Amino acid sequence: KPHRTTQLLSSNTLQYRARAVPSLFLASSDDSNSDANRRQANGMAILPSNVVKYSTVPKDKFFTIDTIPTGLLKEHSTKEGTWGIIRVHQGKLEYTILEPEQSVHILDAESDNVGIIEPTMLHQTKGLTDDLKFVVEFCRVPGTGDVDEQREGL
């Protein structure tokens, strides 16, 4: 599989529902299943524009270098229809996308990088700095399934 390391461009914070979301991360509002497979230049998926956030983990706090769940450090994926957004609030995190092609992304708060997690695609994370603080937001396209799913270890 091809391998590349990228540093994401700075962007505004993603907003949900009635607020605009920067086009760098979003497909057009007339998304179809084929549009969901489109990618940013760095290999990361483009988040559908009509996603709705339904959960953030951990709740009311952050994962740190010492509290990252083991499941996030090894290969894992979300369920069909579940998108994720990794938001680093402090420090640096390595986000490796393993499918459909491998790409490595360094996420950090200083450049306002976010990691887009595509449904069912294998990925993993690795903390890079001792001061790391991050959350993972989960969202779905309306009508694609239950938003009350349970995630192991989170």
Side-chain angles (χ1 to χ4, degrees), residues 128-143:
L128 297 179
T129 59
D130 290 340
D131 63 341
L132 178 64
K133 290 183 178 181
F134 75 100
V135 297
V136 181
E137 297 174 356
F138 292 97
C139 44
R140 294 186 76 85
V141 173

Side-chain angles (χ1 to χ4, degrees), residues 64-146:
T64 67
I65 195 77
D66 297 321
T67 64
I68 301 174
T70 305
L72 297 184
L73 298 171
K74 60 185 181 181
E75 292 183 7
H76 64 284
S77 65
T78 59
K79 294 181 181 180
E80 183 69 38
T82 300
W83 289 83
I85 302 168
I86 303 170
R87 293 191 189 279
V88 175
H89 292 266
Q90 186 174 318
K92 292 187 178 188
L93 178 79
E94 181 179 286
Y95 169 46
T96 303
I97 300 169
L98 301 165
E99 297 178 318
E101 295 181 0
Q102 184 172 339
S103 60
V104 178
H105 308 270
I106 306 303
L107 308 178
D108 62 71
E110 290 77 34
S111 56
D112 202 20
N113 295 339
V114 297
I116 303 298
I117 302 168
E118 188 174 3
T120 73
M121 296 294 168
L122 288 174
H123 59 279
Q124 62 192 38
T125 64
K126 176 183 175 183
L128 297 179
T129 59
D130 290 340
D131 63 341
L132 178 64
K133 290 183 178 181
F134 75 100
V135 297
V136 181
E137 297 174 356
F138 292 97
C139 44
R140 294 186 76 85
V141 173
T144 61
D146 187 7

Side-chain angles (χ1 to χ4, degrees), residues 39-60:
R39 306 225 165 273
Q40 298 174 46
N42 63 18
M44 203 175 300
I46 295 174
L47 189 67
S49 61
N50 58 340
V51 294
V52 176
K53 177 180 156 185
Y54 67 87
S55 177
T56 300
V57 292
K59 295 198 182 307
D60 302 321

